[in-house]
Amino acid sequence: MNFGMILVWIAFICGLGATFASIRYYAASNRKSRETTKKLEIACTLAVTLSSMILIIHLLGVNASYEYVYNHSSTDLSWFYRISAFWAGQQGSLLLWAWAILMMLMFVRYTGHTKEMTESKLMDITTMVTMAIASVFLILLVIDNPFSAFRVLPSGSIEATNWNPFVTLYDVPYGQGMNPLLRNPWMAVHPPMLFLGYAAFTIPFAAAIANLITKDSHWTLISRDWMRIAWLFLTLGIGLGGFWAYEVLGWGAWYWTWDPVETSSLIPWITATAYLHAQSRSRYGEYEFLAPLLAVVSFILVIFATFVTRSGIWASVHSWQDFTTEGLIIAIFLVILTGSSIFLLGKRYLEEN
């Protein structure tokens, strides 16, 4: 039985359920819905954590019956690179991103000074938005499952199944391994730094949306530390990527060539830097509109960077594929995100002016 595939489905169902339960609570103040939301959040996080562990085990053991393992792991790779294969492909990197978002939400809700805000409407909306975003990543994993496995058809041909967890797996004796360009020590640190940075942008965005709806100034207590974390990880990711490109791609004396994917990751770094300055002044009554604006724009630019990387529309050494269903879903998500954010920001601006 393909437990990894089942866990991805369970995570998606729990994530979507938590989103709707939190909407129901916000609309009707049904306390039972709040408790349901908490249970579904935890179940979703556990399912994603377990599926991530299973995928790492398959990569280490080179269980090439799974398509993702076949494409990115092999027996000639050291354990170091087999673990790095976890984020070498689209499905694995999305799984890492979804896991990071969910874990960060757990830290926000159950640790530190933000734990005291658990019962507030500000935290309820922050949770609702975060779980909705995590659900988008999980539906991408359902469509293109990292546990897609090879099976033998009655005709004798072999194909990968993305939906049936009960088939008998075809035993593939070897994996083709990681792309030679990725077989570099920087592979172990550059991608996870970027993905953790991208994931951390989710919390300030969700808190900013909650602020636009509730006008609760305590949103900065949620956003300030997580924007710093996002900025730090993104800075490290961009910097390490520059060293990697200098070493492997032969860019000569330059660490930067304005590649579309590079540039799309730099822009949210600039807006995040501006946000950190705006937030430092908001305690003095300044930038009360600009701060949430920058938090919202930063996350939208992160999703745009994801679209640039995964859509294949822009030619880049970082792009994974041509335009597919996953790219279309990210594009739709980007449009919805931008439209709803413009509406809330415009509404707040008109109210204050």
Side-chain angles (χ1 to χ4, degrees):
M1 185 181 294
N2 194 334
F3 289 105
M5 184 180 289
I6 293 173
L7 284 169
V8 169
W9 292 351
I10 290 173
F12 170 65
I13 293 169
C14 291
L16 204 60
T19 303
F20 284 113
S22 58
I23 292 172
R24 183 184 176 190
Y25 172 75
Y26 180 73
S29 296
N30 185 324
R31 190 167 187 82
K32 186 177 179 181
S33 295
R34 172 180 272 177
E35 296 303 317
T36 302
T37 300
K38 291 180 180 179
K39 291 176 182 178
L40 289 172
E41 286 168 22
I42 294 171
C44 181
T45 305
L46 286 174
V48 172
T49 302
L50 288 173
S51 62
S52 299
M53 292 172 63
I54 290 172
L55 184 58
I56 290 174
I57 290 170
H58 288 328
L59 289 166
L60 284 170
V62 194
N63 189 347
S65 296
Y66 295 92
E67 187 177 20
Y68 188 83
V69 177
Y70 173 78
N71 289 332
H72 301 289
S73 185
S74 59
T75 54
D76 64 321
L77 293 176
S78 65
W79 67 270
F80 180 81
Y81 288 117
R82 294 183 196 181
I83 293 177
S84 299
F86 183 84
W87 46 79
Q90 171 159 282
Q91 301 97 320
S93 60
L94 286 174
L95 185 60
L96 173 63
W97 195 339
W99 175 81
I101 290 173
L102 292 166
M103 288 302 299
M104 289 172 184
L105 179 60
M106 292 296 105
F107 277 106
V108 169
R109 285 178 64 80
Y110 301 109
T111 64
H113 60 274
T114 53
K115 181 181 179 181
E116 301 171 0
M117 304 168 64
T118 303
E119 301 296 320
S120 67
K121 282 195 175 294
L122 182 73
M123 184 63 78
D124 290 334
I125 298 174
T126 300
T127 300
M128 181 198 310
V129 174
T130 304
M131 289 306 301
I133 292 167
S135 296
V136 173
F137 287 97
L138 291 171
I139 196 172
L140 290 171
L141 291 169
V142 168
I143 293 171
D144 193 9
N145 204 300
F147 294 96
S148 174
F150 295 109
R151 64 168 178 172
V152 179
L153 297 176
S155 62
S157 60
I158 300 169
E159 73 165 11
T161 176
N162 196 47
W163 61 271
N164 190 346
F166 303 107
V167 297
T168 300
L169 303 187
Y170 176 70
D171 184 23
V172 181
Y174 62 90
Q176 67 178 12
M178 197 183 295
N179 185 318
L181 283 175
L182 302 181
R183 300 185 185 191
N184 186 283
W186 294 113
M187 180 63 187
V189 287
H190 166 59
M193 289 296 106
L194 276 179
F195 291 127
L196 290 173
Y198 284 170
F201 275 101
T202 307
I203 305 301
F205 169 79
I209 293 296
N211 165 257
L212 292 173
I213 295 172
T214 64
K215 299 182 181 179
D216 189 337
S217 61
H218 292 93
W219 76 281
T220 56
L221 297 177
I222 300 174
S223 66
R224 66 186 183 189
D225 294 335
W226 289 102
M227 186 61 89
R228 290 168 184 165
I229 291 171
W231 185 90
L232 176 62
F233 277 119
L234 189 56
T235 301
L236 290 172
I238 292 173
L240 294 171
F243 282 108
W244 186 0
Y246 177 82
E247 179 180 319
V248 175
L249 298 178
W251 286 353
W254 299 100
Y255 297 86
W256 194 270
T257 61
W258 297 105
D259 177 270
V261 172
E262 290 178 331
T263 307
S264 65
S265 67
L266 176 65
I267 298 173
W269 180 89
I270 294 172
T271 56
T273 304
Y275 167 84
L276 292 174
H277 171 69
Q279 183 181 269
S280 69
R281 301 300 303 172
S282 63
R283 71 184 69 177
Y284 303 108
E286 301 176 21
Y287 305 133
E288 291 184 355
F289 175 76
L290 185 61
L293 169 66
L294 289 169
V296 167
V297 168
S298 295
F299 182 72
I300 291 174
L301 289 171
V302 164
I303 300 302
F304 177 72
T306 306
F307 177 70
V308 170
T309 306
R310 298 171 193 272
S311 66
I313 292 178
W314 286 270
S316 168
V317 295
H318 299 84
S319 295
W320 268 310
Q321 61 184 30
D322 296 326
F323 194 76
T324 61
T325 304
E326 291 78 13
L328 177 62
I329 290 174
I330 295 172
I332 294 170
F333 178 49
L334 180 61
V335 170
I336 294 172
L337 206 61
T338 305
S340 57
S341 298
I342 289 173
F343 171 77
L344 290 172
L345 287 165
K347 185 172 179 289
R348 167 63 70 85
Y349 180 80
L350 292 173
E351 288 174 352
E352 292 185 354
N353 293 274

